[in-house]
């Protein structure tokens, strides 16, 4: 509501921007609570250690990391921000495709959120079992995708954009494209793939099992195995 008043003072808040704000707030609360719970159980994250400066160094890499996160938040939220700015009755698109964008987008958002939450839950339970702390998860939805949590994240942001698309400028598609680029090509899958490739090599007892898992399992989209 504050964002709407800031961008469109004196105008009543239409339903769609409100629902978008509620949806992304729910996503943030779910993900934030999960990450908080995880950090309470494991206070360090090896993926971030390289960003912290050594004694006498300037925190350039750390600053770059946090600025990337700020850019992520800015670009990701563009459809929601612009949905609050556009007049309530003004639709950029028209026709059957524009009318279908809302239901299809909400379906994609809910499915993506459910996939991400399920993947996080299943992996946490897997890692909590004795002997699994250093193993790779291949149970549940992880049996069909090596990164189902990232698939869910990508899907839900495409869903958010689809819901907003008929009411916001076309360039707001940069939001899901940005999320997809980061997770698939920069900070998500490449980092995790390298971590596991470096870990399960040589005489590691799970090397053969991981090689088979990697060869038979989709990297992102959950797909059945034949």
């Amino acid at each position: 509501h504050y964002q709407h008043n800031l961008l469109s003072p004196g105008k009543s808040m239409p339903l769609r921007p409100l629902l978008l704000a509620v949806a992304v707030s729910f996503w943030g609360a779910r993900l934030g609570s999960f990450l908080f719970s995880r950090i309470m159980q494991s206070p360090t994250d090896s993926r971030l250690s390289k960003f912290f400066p050594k004694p006498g160094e300037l925190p350039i890499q750390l600053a770059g990391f946090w600025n990337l996160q700020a850019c992520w938040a800015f670009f990701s939220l563009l459809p929601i921000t612009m949905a609050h700015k556009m007049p309530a009755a003004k639709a950029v698109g028209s026709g059957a495709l524009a009318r279908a964008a809302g239901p299809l987008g909400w379906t994609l958002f809910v499915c993506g959120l459910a996939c991400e939450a399920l993947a996080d839950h299943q992996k946490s339970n897997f890692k909590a079992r004795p002997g699994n702390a250093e193993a790779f998860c291949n149970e549940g939805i992880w049996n069909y995708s090596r990164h189902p949590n990232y698939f869910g994240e990508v899907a839900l942001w495409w869903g958010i954009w689809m819901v907003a698309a008929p009411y916001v400028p076309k360039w707001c598609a940069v939001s899901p494209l940005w999320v997809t680029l980061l997770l698939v090509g920069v900070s998500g899958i490449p980092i995790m793939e390298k971590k596991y490739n470096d870990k399960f090599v040589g005489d590691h007892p799970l090397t053969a099992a991981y090689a088979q898992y990697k060869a038979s399992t989709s990297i992102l989209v959950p797909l059945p195995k034949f």
Side-chain angles (χ1 to χ4, degrees), residues 6 40 46 55 63 67 70 82 93 95 107 126 182 188 199-200 203 214:
L6 184 65
M40 292 301 291
S46 59
N67 275 284
M82 293 308 298
T107 300
F126 176 86
L182 281 186
K199 183 176 184 178
F200 300 115
D203 58 355
K214 185 176 179 180

Side-chain angles (χ1 to χ4, degrees), residues 96-210:
L97 187 60
R99 291 193 297 271
L104 289 175
W106 285 124
T107 300
L108 190 57
F109 171 79
V110 171
C111 290
L113 182 65
C115 180
E116 183 181 51
L118 178 64
D120 288 341
H121 176 72
Q122 289 179 339
K123 187 175 183 179
S124 294
N125 286 348
F126 176 86
K127 291 288 189 178
R129 295 207 301 266
N132 283 352
E134 298 301 319
F136 63 92
C137 180
N138 60 349
E139 296 182 356
I141 197 171
W142 294 85
N143 188 46
Y144 306 102
S145 167
R146 302 205 300 275
H147 304 281
N149 52 336
Y150 294 148
F151 170 75
E153 183 79 0
V154 168
L156 71 87
W157 283 106
W158 277 103
I160 287 290
W161 171 75
M162 286 181 66
V163 172
Y167 300 88
V168 299
K170 292 179 180 179
W171 52 259
C172 284
V174 70
S175 167
L177 287 171
W178 172 259
V179 173
T180 305
L181 173 65
L182 281 186
L183 293 182
V184 175
V186 181
S187 66
I189 289 178
I191 291 177
M192 294 305 298
E193 287 287 298
K194 184 179 186 304
K195 174 184 176 180
Y196 284 129
N197 288 339
D198 293 344
K199 183 176 184 178
F200 300 115
V201 294
D203 58 355
H204 193 287
L206 293 177
T207 296
Y210 181 70

